Amino acid sequence: MDVKAAEPSKAPVKNKRKTQRDLEPGVRAVAKFARVSTRRAREVAALVRGKQVEEAMAILKFTPRKAAAIIAKVIKSAMANAEENHGIRDVTRLKVGVLRIEMGPPMKRFTPRAYGRASLIRKPTTHIKVVLQEETEVK
């Protein structure tokens, strides 16, 4: 009786699919289900995208929008993640690399109307994703 050694499988190795995390290196923080509309948050996000962290925080501090406080909180969280999890001592070198505002699921509420009917009220929510990146030497 002939016994053959088992050969390793010759199945092709699939390339690992690149995730969004792989495409955007840096320190990240996320706020989900923030109670602000996506459109209004995007207006504020456009002000600070690509700026240094200190400059971005100063802009957000004096922006009179509800979304400004929420985005500032997420950037502060990302700065804390940089110090705590990534060991970055000087967080002032970081810049706001990616600031993505995505639509969350709307909260659905009802209000009474005439003749015993009800109307739907949609209260929008937003997912805010921030990736802080280190400033490169060459611009």
Side-chain angles (χ1 to χ4, degrees), residues 27 52-54 79 82-84 86-95 132-135:
V27 183
Q52 292 287 331
V53 173
E54 288 181 341
M79 290 166 59
E83 286 180 335
E84 213 38 56
H86 296 275
I88 298 173
R89 297 279 183 239
D90 187 17
V91 292
T92 58
R93 292 185 300 125
L94 297 174
K95 66 173 185 160
L132 300 182
Q133 298 169 338
E134 290 193 49
E135 189 68 34

Side-chain angles (χ1 to χ4, degrees), residues 66-123:
K66 179 180 178 180
I70 298 170
I71 292 172
K73 194 172 182 180
V74 180
I75 292 175
K76 280 183 188 176
S77 176
M79 290 166 59
N81 289 343
E83 286 180 335
E84 213 38 56
N85 301 336
H86 296 275
I88 298 173
R89 297 279 183 239
D90 187 17
V91 292
T92 58
R93 292 185 300 125
L94 297 174
K95 66 173 185 160
V96 180
V98 177
L99 180 52
R100 184 173 293 122
I101 310 293
E102 296 175 351
M103 188 180 294
M107 290 174 20
K108 294 178 181 174
R109 300 292 181 261
F110 293 93
T111 186
R113 301 307 290 250
Y115 300 105
R117 296 182 181 141
S119 287
L120 180 66
I121 296 176
R122 291 183 187 91
K123 297 189 175 205

Side-chain angles (χ1 to χ4, degrees), residues 1-34:
M1 196 167 175
D2 231 2
V3 178
K4 292 184 179 178
E7 293 182 22
S9 66
K10 303 241 176 176
V13 177
K14 292 183 180 178
N15 291 338
K16 184 181 173 190
R17 199 170 133 221
K18 296 270 186 192
T19 62
Q20 205 64 30
R21 189 175 288 262
D22 298 331
L23 296 174
E24 299 165 349
V27 183
R28 65 188 68 245
V30 178
K32 290 190 172 185
F33 308 104

